Amino acid sequence: MARERIYLDNAATSWPKPASVVEAVQHHMTELGACAGRSGYREANEVERLIGDTRKQIAYLFGTHSQEHVIFGYNGTDMLNLALHGFLQRGDHVITTTVEHNSILRPLSTLKKTLEIEVTHVEAGEDGRVPADAFENAIQGNTRLIAINHVSNVTGAIQPVEDIYHIAKNRGVRMLVDAAQSAGHLDLNLGETPIDMVAFSGHKGLLGPLGTGAMILQSEVAEQLRSQRQGGTGTKSESDEQPTELPAKFESGNANVPGILGLRAGVEYIREQTVTALHRHTMQNVTRLIEGLQTMPKVRILGPQTLEHRTGVVSIQVESFDPHELATALDSAFGVQCRAGLHCAPLMHQHLGTLGSGGTLRFSLSIFTTAEQIERTLDAMQAIAR
């Protein structure tokens, strides 16, 4: 009999998926089979309707009704690249942080060379959270953008993006939020806090398939944002100019229709269950995991000590253990699957003092993680520590 797989790598990609997500992908692959926006027969029209409904479901999840401002891309990284390369101009100043993923750090590094932009990295505190007032102090005359993740993929620390938004708005600075680790896990109401650009993956907290991502744009920034891919959109085909209307301005080429329809099912599932209820369930298991780890003398838990400031990502270091060796032992001996390493966030590890020691061992929970799985994980950790 096969051993149960205890999957705790949901910050990389969520698994398992709701049955409705699998069914939606299969429905397109076996029944619909059509492109989006390219034909007028029945199945093609149904695809177009379902993709439009996916935009609507995402808009509603984020507290806005501007569904035409929901842009689809290949993944969260694709959306962040569109935002950074499409918005910034030569000589601009950008404020970001030491908690960022390489999906922000690397495009900014490239733009420093190609457009001579300036970049300021605001330091996180000991708990991995960035104080909002540090952004006020970092703004200068040519500051055009603040780019920050909502939740750290290393520590699970929740950043005060609403407070930072109000600072940015008062100073005339645009704001980009990387919501890869918060979409589906935390409420972010863009009706109340209309952040200029919010980019996210579809395959993590939103429970969709890999190869999906989206960004929600506010009207003014959508006009300023330059498209980074030009080509067929199924609209204004008589012109060799890229359409300026949304969403066609940013969606050249065939969309990943099976992925988007699967994403639609994932978002519907979350809306039915509610983000609040799902987050409460996850945090019950996070609480037990942290309490259990705290009893182990060799374990160092990174990130916020206060549960209200973190999500379902828990990173640790264990004295005398390399994180990669520990991850291998957990998987091979106990079926506990997690991730070891730097998690594509080098400045965060430099800040935590874990850059030169192999990074961290990261457990990341989902709404499908059970209390029994957490107990078995703690038992496995105890056994290895002994």
Side-chain angles (χ1 to χ4, degrees), residues 348-367:
M348 184 78 263
H349 286 280
Q350 186 175 24
H351 175 75
L352 296 170
T354 55
L355 187 61
S357 55
T360 65
L361 182 76
R362 183 185 73 187
F363 302 103
S364 47
L365 286 60
S366 86
I367 59 174

Side-chain angles (χ1 to χ4, degrees), residues 27 32 41-52 261:
H27 178 60
L32 297 177
Y41 45 86
R42 182 180 61 191
E43 289 82 2
N45 290 335
E46 176 65 1
V47 164
E48 192 69 12
R49 183 190 71 80
L50 290 170
I51 286 184
L261 301 195

Side-chain angles (χ1 to χ4, degrees), residues 34-346:
C35 300
R38 299 300 193 274
S39 303
Y41 45 86
R42 182 180 61 191
E43 289 82 2
N45 290 335
E46 176 65 1
V47 164
E48 192 69 12
R49 183 190 71 80
L50 290 170
I51 286 184
D53 190 65
T54 310
R55 296 188 207 275
K56 181 172 71 174
Q57 296 285 345
I58 290 173
Y60 287 172
L61 183 68
F62 282 86
T64 177
H65 297 281
S66 302
Q67 62 191 66
E68 69 275 10
H69 290 165
V70 177
I71 308 301
F72 292 124
Y74 300 132
N75 44 49
T77 299
D78 185 37
M79 298 288 85
L80 290 169
N81 271 265
L82 169 60
L84 295 169
H85 286 279
F87 183 72
L88 294 172
Q89 300 175 359
R90 185 172 297 278
D92 284 345
H93 175 238
V94 180
I95 304 172
T96 189
T97 78
T98 57
V99 306
E100 302 308 315
H101 189 276
N102 275 334
S103 294
I104 282 182
L105 297 179
R106 286 180 172 175
L108 289 179
S109 178
T110 296
L111 289 166
K112 285 172 68 175
K113 300 170 186 175
T114 58
L115 292 182
E116 298 177 341
I117 67 167
E118 301 175 55
V119 179
T120 296
H121 295 92
V122 173
E123 290 278 343
E126 289 185 7
D127 64 352
R129 300 182 77 234
V130 181
D133 58 5
F135 292 86
E136 180 81 61
N137 299 331
I139 293 174
Q140 54 192 48
N142 62 335
T143 303
R144 193 149 185 260
L145 183 69
I146 291 173
I148 182 173
N149 70 33
H150 192 183
V151 171
S152 168
N153 71 314
V154 178
T155 65
I158 302 170
Q159 306 302 335
V161 294
E162 291 88 352
D163 295 339
I164 297 167
Y165 164 77
H166 292 298
I167 291 170
K169 182 179 180 181
N170 290 338
R171 298 292 296 273
V173 175
R174 298 295 186 186
M175 185 171 176
L176 165 65
V177 168
D178 172 3
Q181 297 295 337
S182 63
H185 296 295
L186 298 175
D187 279 315
L188 182 58
N189 191 321
L190 298 182
E192 298 176 356
T193 310
I195 295 167
D196 299 287
M197 296 176 279
V198 178
F200 45 90
S201 310
H203 64 98
K204 298 184 181 183
L206 294 180
L207 306 176
L210 284 158
T212 55
M215 181 159 60
I216 302 176
L217 305 172
Q218 298 299 327
S219 297
E220 290 185 11
V221 77
E223 294 175 5
Q224 299 170 19
L225 196 63
R226 301 180 298 277
S227 65
Q228 298 301 293
R229 282 187 284 116
Q230 295 80 43
T233 61
T235 61
K236 297 190 174 180
S237 296
E238 72 281 1
S239 174
D240 64 358
E241 296 287 333
Q242 185 72 8
T244 57
E245 296 82 11
L246 297 181
K249 179 179 179 181
F250 304 110
E251 290 186 355
S252 294
N254 270 303
N256 175 10
V257 177
I260 293 173
L261 301 195
L263 175 58
R264 173 180 176 269
V267 174
E268 279 189 326
Y269 181 90
I270 291 166
R271 291 191 65 213
E272 289 170 0
Q273 302 292 322
T274 77
V275 172
T276 300
L278 294 174
H279 180 66
R280 185 186 305 117
H281 168 80
T282 298
M283 294 310 295
Q284 288 173 348
N285 286 323
V286 169
T287 300
R288 176 60 190 127
L289 177 62
I290 290 177
E291 288 176 348
L293 292 170
Q294 286 173 335
T295 67
M296 303 177 194
K298 294 183 179 181
V299 174
R300 174 194 175 199
I301 303 172
L302 303 164
Q305 299 301 306
T306 305
L307 287 172
E308 66 178 302
H309 292 153
R310 64 156 65 236
T311 60
V313 176
V314 180
S315 270
I316 65 171
Q317 281 197 313
V318 182
E319 183 182 333
S320 303
F321 280 91
D322 177 272
H324 294 84
E325 293 177 354
L326 188 55
T328 299
L330 284 168
D331 181 28
S332 60
F334 302 97
V336 177
Q337 299 176 333
C338 51
R339 181 175 173 182
L342 301 180
H343 318 300
C344 303

